[in-house]
């Protein structure tokens, strides 16, 4: 199984423009997620992780977002190991996304 890949903000924007067939999970705490998040993102927490994995489409690209792009790397690797085919960690995280938008 391959490792996760890094994804820039511009690459994410291009993916969103060309396909609605992507999954975005935001691993920040619930309060931060509620204060702002990328459209159509799911807040992924320890409490809903098993259910998310059980119901997710393992074949669709999965983008993992955190605060600054550090924690998402470990989460992306974990999700890749759980069977997701195409997993990305968003470089710069939500902070970079917010600054770019």
């Amino acid at each position: 199984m391959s490792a996760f890949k890094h994804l820039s903000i511009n690459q994410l924007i291009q993916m969103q423009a060309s396909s609605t067939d992507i999954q975005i999970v935001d691993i920040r705490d619930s309060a931060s997620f509620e204060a702002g998040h990328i459209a159509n993102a799911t807040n992924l927490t320890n409490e809903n992780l098993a259910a998310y994995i059980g119901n997710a489409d393992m074949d669709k690209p999965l983008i993992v977002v955190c605060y600054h792009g550090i924690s998402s790397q470990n989460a992306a690797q974990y999700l890749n190991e759980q069977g997701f085919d195409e997993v990305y960690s968003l470089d710069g995280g939500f902070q970079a996304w917010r600054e770019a938008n």
Side-chain angles (χ1 to χ4, degrees), residues 40-100:
N40 300 316
T42 299
N43 189 209
L44 190 61
T45 66
N46 288 334
E47 289 78 26
N48 68 0
L49 177 61
Y52 181 81
I53 291 171
N55 294 316
D57 187 338
M58 300 286 196
D59 297 324
K60 289 183 181 180
L62 176 66
I63 294 96
V64 184
V65 179
C66 66
Y67 291 98
H68 298 104
I70 308 297
S71 300
S72 60
Q73 294 178 48
N74 288 334
Q77 184 61 42
Y78 175 79
L79 291 165
N80 182 255
E81 291 168 358
Q82 301 311 302
F84 287 90
D85 289 335
E86 190 176 351
V87 183
Y88 300 91
S89 172
L90 184 64
D91 291 339
F94 182 74
Q95 182 66 30
W97 172 264
R98 183 173 48 197
E99 290 171 4

Side-chain angles (χ1 to χ4, degrees), residues 19-40:
S19 174
T20 57
D21 219 18
I22 61 173
Q23 304 170 95
I24 302 172
V25 293
D26 188 324
I27 63 168
R28 296 176 301 141
D29 66 87
S30 298
S32 296
F33 181 82
E34 290 301 320
H37 57 271
I38 298 172
N40 300 316

